[in-house]
Every structure is written in C-alpha cells, then in structure tokens.
Amino acid sequence: MPVWICTAHFYLSDIAEDLCPTYIIPGSHKSGRKPDRGEETWNGHSPEPVLCKAGDVLFFRSEIWHSGGRNTTTDRSRYLLQVHYSHRNIAQKFSPWPWEFNPEIIATASERQLRLLGKHPE
C-alpha cells in the first residue's frame, strides 16, 4: 500500500499513561477504511498507548487508527510538535482549500521558508 500521508510526533514531554498518550491500534492501517462510530478494535487488536520520553519521535502512517488519551494529571500538560508529510499530489489539498497565508508573513519569508509553507510548481 502506498503511503500518502504520514505524521511525526516529536515529544517534548515524557509521556506516561496519565499524560494523554497517543493511542494506536496496531495493523489498523491495513483495514482500508476509517473506524465506524464506536468501533474500538480492529482484527482483534485494541488501542495501545505510546509511552515515551521527551526527545522521542513517533512516526506513523496517518491511516493507522489513532487518538489522543486523557490527561488525568492536575499539574502537567503534554507538549509535542506534530509534523505531517504527504505525497506531492496531496500537498496543496488540505482543507480549508484554497488556503491563503497572511500576506505580511509571506512578504518577509525566504525562498526556503516559502517552499516549506508549500510554494512549489503546480
């Protein structure tokens, strides 16, 4: 199966079960569909928390069934940087479409920054 979209979570916090871990259902990317409402398992697999340390990276194809957990702590927040990667023909098709950046920001951006924001030939 081709990978059209994938995601990297760069964790800035240590993640334990009480600090809203990302849950994934192993193998669910092979289902070929999104989960039905209320569906919480796939092919005998239940959601598993991704527990990690600050500095770890979770890289996954976006078709895998995933969700965020609950923060049951009273004094901590989960911090992460989320980066999405996609096949070239998907790059300019995320909603809302058409998307326009703030012209003042675009006017000050370098060519490299513009390319990272999506400036490339149609």
Side-chain angles (χ1 to χ4, degrees), residues 102-118:
N102 180 327
E104 294 175 14
I105 300 297
I106 295 299
T108 64
S110 69
E111 280 301 312
R112 181 172 187 266
Q113 290 168 325
L114 291 171
R115 191 173 65 249
L116 290 169
L117 292 173

Side-chain angles (χ1 to χ4, degrees), residues 12-61:
L12 306 177
S13 306
D14 291 343
I15 304 298
E17 287 206 50
D18 62 349
L19 189 55
C20 46
T22 300
Y23 281 83
I24 62 165
I25 299 180
S28 59
H29 63 285
K30 297 176 183 176
S31 68
R33 61 181 177 83
K34 65 181 182 177
D36 293 328
R37 183 177 295 277
E39 188 174 14
E40 296 181 5
T41 64
W42 183 80
N43 210 20
H45 294 281
S46 297
E48 297 180 11
V50 176
L51 308 178
C52 55
K53 298 287 186 188
D56 288 346
V57 178
L58 169 63
F59 190 77
F60 62 97
R61 57 184 307 149

Side-chain angles (χ1 to χ4, degrees), residues 66-118:
H66 62 282
S67 69
R70 280 200 146 134
N71 184 354
T72 59
T73 71
T74 58
D75 61 343
R76 292 182 293 152
S77 294
R78 174 180 81 159
Y79 293 101
L80 63 94
L81 176 63
Q82 191 174 60
V83 180
H84 301 281
Y85 301 90
S86 68
H87 192 270
R88 171 61 186 95
N89 68 352
I90 295 174
Q92 294 178 331
K93 297 181 181 176
F94 290 119
S95 62
W97 181 252
W99 172 261
E100 290 186 29
F101 287 99
N102 180 327
E104 294 175 14
I105 300 297
I106 295 299
T108 64
S110 69
E111 280 301 312
R112 181 172 187 266
Q113 290 168 325
L114 291 171
R115 191 173 65 249
L116 290 169
L117 292 173

